């Protein structure tokens, strides 16, 4: 069978999957599981006392609501629980929260054994004015004893508790400079310094942050977010920030975002399979499910007209490029990350373009073909940027 004509039928396959959904066969599910197994699933271990800002940190990094985070954590040991974002089935990152720290007779050995097998980064949260830190120091010492090269970041949280009445956050953010103490005088600065002395030799870096809610009226809401992300990116090197940044901010997209991200990652895993025929069939099935999820969120119908407008506007060029990148997966080691990143970016761009399309329709606008094409091209470039680091081997 000629290669390009077969690949040229991708949009037809996708449209058929969208307009006449079929239950995935056992073979497709098996291949999809294999694809997911190849994906990175970083685990960030959150170590800190209760109310030290762990949930706020997850909210800042993922854009999830407190309700989503509270309902998303699942027990995994007697004293720890795990939160998979955006979903357990197709997650981008997992957060492990230790609940027992600071409680009487807490023994971190079970959590350390669990995390040592899968955790990639340890983030320790301590309130900036808290000095009853011996339980945290002891736990960190036990972690370091088990694995001396474990990347560790201490997030000094709730900074506003050390401010003078009515004071705002120090601007510009001073804590990345060597002489930061000169900009943060008084008891607040001394408290931060004393905490750092207590954790000397146990942490890779310290990052003061203050993550609040809009009703707290203490802008910016995520003070120190850039510094925290810089520390995470330095320690992990996965490009997580580019992947998790929300981008569009309307209510509908916030609901659709997790479907787009998880579908894109699954498509990246499928694109990395060495058989292009199998990988493109999987990508079509993944994209079809994502399309239906987005249509449901926007309360819109997926019709032959909608699929025809999108297909004709986007054009066959992307199909040919997708085919070429899928062929790269047949080249061991070298080609796999390129194929995976391109497959993920394509699904990401299709999902974001569909969100934009439905948003236009809801506003009573009929999207023009050139604007659909322009939007898809922009989202494709953004998708490649976001997934390039994450899907490296």
């Amino acid at each position: 069978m000629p290669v390009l004509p077969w690949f040229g039928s991708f949009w037809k396959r996708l449209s058929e999957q969208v307009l006449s959904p079929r239950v995935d066969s056992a073979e497709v599910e098996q291949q999809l599981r294999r694809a997911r197994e190849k994906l990175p699933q970083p685990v960030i271990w959150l170590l800190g006392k209760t109310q030290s800002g762990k949930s706020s940190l997850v909210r800042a990094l993922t854009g999830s609501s407190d309700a989503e985070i509270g309902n998303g954590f699942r027990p995994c040991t007697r004293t720890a629980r795990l939160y998979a974002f955006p979903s357990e089935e197709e997650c981008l990152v997992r957060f492990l929260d230790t609940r027992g720290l600071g409680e009487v007779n807490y023994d971190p050995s079970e959590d350390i054994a669990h995390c040592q097998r899968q955790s990639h980064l340890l983030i320790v949260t301590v309130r900036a004015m808290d000095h009853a830190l011996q339980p945290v120091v002891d736990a960190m010492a036990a972690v370091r004893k088990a694995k001396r090269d474990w990347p560790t970041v201490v997030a000094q949280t709730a900074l506003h508790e050390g401010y003078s009445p009515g004071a705002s956050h120090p601007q510009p953010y001073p804590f990345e400079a060597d002489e930061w103490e000169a900009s943060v005088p008084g008891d607040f600065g001394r408290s931060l310094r004393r905490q750092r002395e207590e954790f000397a030799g146990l942490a890779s870096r310290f990052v003061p942050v203050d993550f609040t809610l809009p009703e707290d009226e203490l802008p910016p809401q995520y003070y120190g977010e850039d510094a925290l992300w810089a520390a995470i990116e330095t320690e992990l090197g996965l490009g997580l920030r580019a992947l998790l940044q929300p981008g569009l901010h309307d209510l509908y997209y916030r609901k659709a975002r997790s479907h787009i991200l998880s579908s894109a990652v699954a498509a990246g895993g499928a694109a990395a399979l060495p058989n292009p025929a199998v990988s493109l069939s999987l990508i079509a099935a993944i994209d079809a499910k994502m399309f239906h999820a987005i249509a449901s969120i926007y309360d819109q119908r997926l019709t032959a007209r909608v699929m025809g407008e999108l297909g004709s506007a986007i054009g066959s060029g992307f199909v040919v490029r997708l085919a070429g990148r899928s062929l790269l997966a047949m080249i061991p080691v070298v080609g796999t990350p390129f194929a995976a990143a391109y497959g993920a970016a394509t699904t990401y761009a299709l999902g974001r373009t569909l969100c934009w399309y439905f948003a236009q329709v809801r506003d009573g606008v009929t999207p023009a073909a050139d604007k659909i094409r322009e939007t898809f091209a922009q989202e494709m470039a953004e998708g490649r940027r976001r997934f390039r680091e994450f899907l490296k081997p």
Side-chain angles (χ1 to χ4, degrees), residues 250-309:
D250 66 86
L251 177 62
Y252 296 101
Y253 177 73
R254 285 171 56 190
K255 293 181 179 179
R257 176 175 170 240
S258 63
H259 295 283
I260 294 173
L261 289 177
S262 61
S263 297
V265 170
L273 295 173
N275 187 332
V278 172
S279 67
L280 287 176
S281 295
L282 278 174
I283 293 172
I286 293 165
D287 290 352
K289 289 181 178 180
M290 176 185 68
F291 270 42
H292 279 286
I294 293 173
S296 176
I297 290 168
Y298 281 83
D299 195 23
Q300 297 292 314
R301 291 183 59 216
L302 286 165
T303 63
R305 181 183 64 81
V306 170
M307 295 302 295
E309 287 182 355

Side-chain angles (χ1 to χ4, degrees), residues 189-218:
R190 284 190 290 272
S191 181
L192 293 180
R193 183 174 61 253
R194 181 181 169 188
Q195 286 184 340
R196 297 183 181 210
E197 291 170 353
E198 289 196 51
F199 291 117
L202 298 175
S204 307
R205 59 191 70 236
F206 296 85
V207 184
V209 298
D210 202 333
F211 299 154
T212 58
L213 296 170
E215 53 265 32
D216 294 325
E217 298 183 350
L218 191 62

Side-chain angles (χ1 to χ4, degrees), residues 60-344:
L61 297 183
T62 64
S64 301
S65 68
D66 285 336
E68 290 171 321
I69 295 168
N71 294 328
F73 273 103
R74 297 289 182 267
C76 59
T77 73
R78 288 176 298 173
T79 55
R81 55 185 187 160
L82 199 63
Y83 173 58
F85 176 82
S87 67
E88 180 59 44
E89 185 180 32
E90 297 165 340
C91 82
L92 303 176
V93 60
R94 286 185 169 90
F95 295 91
L96 183 69
D97 173 26
T98 303
R99 295 179 294 170
L101 191 61
E103 298 177 2
V104 177
N105 297 325
Y106 168 69
D107 182 358
S109 57
E110 184 179 0
D111 293 336
I112 291 173
H114 182 80
C115 295
Q116 195 168 5
R117 294 191 300 269
Q118 60 176 327
S119 179
H120 301 82
L121 174 65
L122 175 65
I123 297 183
V124 180
T125 56
V126 293
R127 300 181 80 91
M129 303 304 290
D130 181 8
H131 293 285
L133 298 178
Q134 197 58 48
V136 187
V137 173
D138 291 344
M140 286 184 67
V143 170
R144 282 296 192 189
K145 184 177 180 181
K147 189 176 180 181
R148 296 199 60 82
D149 60 347
W150 214 327
T152 304
V153 174
V154 173
Q156 297 173 284
T157 65
L159 304 182
H160 62 274
E161 294 179 352
Y163 297 170
S164 301
S168 302
H169 294 308
Q171 295 289 3
Y173 183 83
F175 301 103
E176 293 175 304
D178 292 336
E179 62 277 6
W180 65 269
E181 294 181 55
S183 304
V184 189
D187 291 340
F188 175 48
R190 284 190 290 272
S191 181
L192 293 180
R193 183 174 61 253
R194 181 181 169 188
Q195 286 184 340
R196 297 183 181 210
E197 291 170 353
E198 289 196 51
F199 291 117
L202 298 175
S204 307
R205 59 191 70 236
F206 296 85
V207 184
V209 298
D210 202 333
F211 299 154
T212 58
L213 296 170
E215 53 265 32
D216 294 325
E217 298 183 350
L218 191 62
Q221 182 179 353
Y222 296 130
Y223 181 73
E225 179 187 16
D226 289 341
L228 180 61
W229 268 120
I232 293 172
E233 297 287 56
T234 299
E235 300 296 342
L236 281 182
L238 282 175
L240 270 179
R241 185 177 193 180
L243 190 60
L244 299 183
Q245 284 175 329
L248 299 172
H249 293 285
D250 66 86
L251 177 62
Y252 296 101
Y253 177 73
R254 285 171 56 190
K255 293 181 179 179
R257 176 175 170 240
S258 63
H259 295 283
I260 294 173
L261 289 177
S262 61
S263 297
V265 170
L273 295 173
N275 187 332
V278 172
S279 67
L280 287 176
S281 295
L282 278 174
I283 293 172
I286 293 165
D287 290 352
K289 289 181 178 180
M290 176 185 68
F291 270 42
H292 279 286
I294 293 173
S296 176
I297 290 168
Y298 281 83
D299 195 23
Q300 297 292 314
R301 291 183 59 216
L302 286 165
T303 63
R305 181 183 64 81
V306 170
M307 295 302 295
E309 287 182 355
L310 291 172
S312 62
I314 293 171
S316 60
F318 100 93
V319 176
V320 176
R321 290 192 294 273
L322 178 60
R325 297 311 189 277
S326 296
L327 286 171
L328 282 175
M330 300 175 67
I331 306 173
V333 182
V334 177
T336 300
F338 292 100
Y342 199 87

Side-chain angles (χ1 to χ4, degrees), residues 38-40 236-238 272 331-341 387-393:
K38 295 178 180 292
L39 299 173
L236 281 182
L238 282 175
I331 306 173
V333 182
V334 177
T336 300
F338 292 100
F387 288 95
R388 183 170 52 243
E389 292 298 318
F390 187 74
L391 291 176
K392 274 184 177 180

